[in-house]
Amino acid sequence: GAVVSQHPSRVICKSGTSVKIECRSLDFQATTMFWYRQFPKQSLMLMATSNEGSKATYEQGVEKDKFLINHASLTLSTLTVTSAHPEDSSFYICSAGNRYSTDTQYFGPGTRLTVL
Amino acid sequence: QKEVEQDPGPLSVPEGAIVSLNCTYSNSAFQYFMWYRQYSRKGPELLMYTYSSGNKEDGRFTAQVDKSSKYISLFIRDSQPSDSATYLCAMSALIKAAGNKLTFGGGTRVLVKP
């Protein structure tokens, strides 16, 4: 299957700082990338959909100014959590797909964010 | 009512048993069905995908779709302790799920005991 990586795998930061998470498709070009967050023992919650070269589409209730998404190339999307607070602590997972060549989406390994 | 319902478990089975998982859905527009496995603190890993009613087999895994009943299943034969994980069903209203939003079930936690 297709391979998606995320970096960093874990990050601890102080309240008020910004954190950038990278999502890369390693062996295919991703026309679309998705960002999810997941709380313990809960399912994935879609935050936003990112198409290469376009602005991200955010789900209802997700603050676009707080969670900045950039999908500048077909292999890289970034999620920046601005002015992070403890309630932003969560597991952030990206997925990627190519609507012309892959049947579905493939997930990255996730990034655990802890805001102190 | 959620669009996709999945029993949270936990489902505990002895090693070697068949694990039976299922999801029901309410949106008849769903056309593409997937099963993901997620180990603790890891990203989901795609196990199976299908877009037609009937069975699809891959090794120890069999995915079953019944669109008339809006019901999908995943069977794991000869279960191993390494199969202990959370299993998520996911669905898409469009055939090419690669570029479209997926709707997930809540996940079923499975524990295979040696």
Side-chain angles (χ1 to χ4, degrees):
Chain A
V3 181
V4 176
S5 71
Q6 272 183 251
H7 179 80
S9 58
R10 177 175 290 189
V11 58
I12 300 172
C13 69
K14 292 182 179 179
S15 184
T17 60
S18 294
V19 175
K20 180 184 283 188
I21 302 169
E22 292 185 348
C23 176
R24 294 182 185 271
S25 55
L26 299 184
D27 54 359
F28 69 100
Q29 293 185 321
T31 54
T32 310
M33 286 185 169
F34 303 83
W35 286 96
Y36 297 82
R37 68 187 295 183
Q38 186 177 34
F39 292 105
K41 297 187 179 181
Q42 294 188 27
S43 191
L44 290 80
M45 184 191 82
L46 180 65
M47 298 174 66
T49 302
S50 165
N51 288 299
E52 188 265 340
S54 303
K55 287 184 178 180
T57 302
Y58 290 81
E59 294 298 301
Q60 193 173 15
V62 178
E63 298 175 62
K64 62 180 181 181
D65 294 329
K66 181 166 185 62
F67 299 99
L68 301 179
I69 292 171
N70 184 282
H71 189 171
S73 78
L74 284 172
T75 59
L76 173 65
S77 176
T78 60
L79 167 68
T80 301
V81 183
T82 62
S83 186
H85 290 284
E87 58 266 28
D88 298 323
S89 298
S90 189
F91 193 51
Y92 291 87
I93 310 174
C94 71
S95 70
N98 184 310
R99 58 181 174 270
Y100 304 110
S101 65
T102 67
D103 287 302
T104 186
Q105 302 165 28
Y106 295 88
F107 284 82
T111 297
R112 183 158 301 281
L113 170 64
T114 302
V115 185
L116 303 176
Chain B
Q1 184 186 4
K2 295 179 182 177
E3 278 191 292
V4 181
E5 297 279 358
Q6 186 176 5
D7 189 326
L11 178 62
S12 183
V13 300
E15 183 176 355
I18 294 176
V19 176
S20 175
L21 304 164
N22 57 74
C23 289
T24 58
Y25 61 96
S26 58
N27 188 347
S28 58
F30 287 138
Q31 298 289 330
Y32 209 79
F33 306 91
M34 287 136 283
W35 285 96
Y36 289 88
R37 176 175 63 194
Q38 186 177 25
Y39 292 112
S40 181
R41 302 187 179 188
K42 300 290 184 184
E45 171 194 7
L46 179 67
L47 292 175
M48 301 278 286
Y49 63 86
T50 183
Y51 51 83
S52 56
S53 283
N55 293 353
K56 181 177 180 180
E57 196 172 310
D58 184 0
R60 296 186 297 115
F61 300 96
T62 299
Q64 198 172 73
V65 174
D66 182 346
K67 289 185 180 179
S68 62
S69 301
K70 298 190 182 67
Y71 187 93
I72 67 170
S73 301
L74 178 72
F75 301 98
I76 307 173
R77 290 183 298 281
D78 188 25
S79 58
Q80 305 295 311
S82 58
D83 294 325
S84 298
T86 296
Y87 291 80
L88 299 155
C89 64
M91 308 182 186
S92 171
L94 299 172
I95 286 293
K96 278 287 185 178
N100 301 295
K101 186 162 66 171
L102 299 181
T103 301
F104 283 88
T108 299
R109 193 158 64 93
V110 172
L111 179 61
V112 181
K113 295 183 176 180

